[in-house]
Amino acid sequence: MGKKITVDSATLFNKGLEVIEAHYLFGAEYDDIEIVIHPQSIIHSMGETQDSSVLAQLGWPDMRLPILYTLSWPERIYCSEITWPRLDLCKLGSLAFKAPDNVKYPSMSLAYAAGRAGGTMTGVLSAANEKAVELFIKEKISYLDIFKVVELTCEKHQEELVATPSLEEIVHYDSWARDYTSALQCSSSG
């Protein structure tokens, strides 16, 4: 999947960012969005309806299918067994689910907080995370520093949070977050 998403999966920042995405894509309130850890990565999304039924999208743990669907929407493109094997639920065995450990992985709580703060905070969170992961991959910070520098960047941004930003302000604070995260890295490595 690539180094960035692999690190985001390890820190569970990917789950926090997906919560923010779900809020904006579906208009769901943050209190109505729940993270569920599914180790097999077969169920990619689930939504509970008003009657308590749950609708789920299942597929192999591979991003090619969601990308194919995105490119072909609203149509579905036929995939043969040769190009894309069918999902055989009987061969999969069981599907497991568990609640996330917010103490071990505080990134999810930080993402919820950034989402609730709104405005430029969600972009700052995303940009700071991207920069922190880049610094980790380049071995400039440790794995445990990823969360710390993102958290410090978000805390600093509270002073300048813009509730209803223009496009220029969004771009400005994206750049600011990357620069601030880099500066934190420099001060902590010295």
Side-chain angles (χ1 to χ4, degrees):
M1 290 190 307
K3 292 178 181 180
K4 166 74 166 69
I5 190 61
T6 300
V7 175
D8 279 352
S9 295
T11 62
L12 293 186
F13 258 113
N14 65 325
K15 297 299 179 195
L17 293 168
E18 289 167 357
V19 165
I20 294 168
E21 290 171 2
H23 168 76
Y24 284 108
L25 288 173
F26 304 111
E29 295 298 323
Y30 286 101
D31 290 339
D32 295 330
I33 302 170
E34 180 182 358
I35 295 173
V36 177
I37 305 300
H38 171 53
Q40 296 82 13
S41 298
I42 297 298
I43 299 178
H44 300 288
S45 61
M46 297 187 300
E48 185 176 357
T49 64
Q50 291 178 346
D51 66 1
S52 77
S53 298
V54 176
L55 305 175
Q57 190 271 320
L58 287 74
W60 291 113
D62 186 314
M63 289 306 295
R64 292 178 297 169
L65 190 58
I67 291 168
L68 176 67
Y69 180 56
T70 300
L71 294 173
S72 65
W73 187 87
E75 305 298 323
R76 293 281 185 161
I77 294 176
Y78 174 78
C79 295
S80 74
E81 281 288 324
I82 296 167
T83 58
W84 196 260
R86 298 288 182 240
L87 186 63
D88 186 339
L89 295 175
C90 293
K91 288 183 181 175
L92 287 175
S94 62
L95 300 175
F97 306 94
K98 62 182 181 176
D101 183 341
N102 289 312
V103 174
K104 187 174 180 182
Y105 301 98
S107 55
M108 293 172 289
S109 296
L110 183 60
Y112 272 100
R116 287 185 174 105
T120 50
M121 189 61 80
T122 55
V124 164
L125 172 86
S126 179
N129 177 59
E130 284 183 19
K131 189 62 181 182
V133 170
E134 176 187 316
L135 293 169
F136 169 72
I137 291 168
K138 291 180 178 178
E139 299 181 2
K140 305 240 184 228
I141 64 173
S142 73
Y143 174 81
L144 296 176
D145 286 336
I146 295 171
F147 173 77
K148 291 175 191 173
V149 298
V150 174
E151 180 182 43
L152 288 170
T153 303
C154 289
E155 285 175 2
K156 180 67 175 173
H157 181 62
Q158 288 177 1
E159 300 168 11
E160 297 183 36
L161 175 72
V162 179
T164 53
S166 65
L167 179 57
E168 290 79 19
E169 289 168 317
I170 291 168
V171 171
H172 166 76
Y173 284 110
D174 178 280
S175 179
W176 172 88
R178 293 169 196 279
D179 292 344
Y180 190 81
T181 301
S182 290
L184 285 173
Q185 171 264 314
C186 290
S187 64
S188 68
S189 64

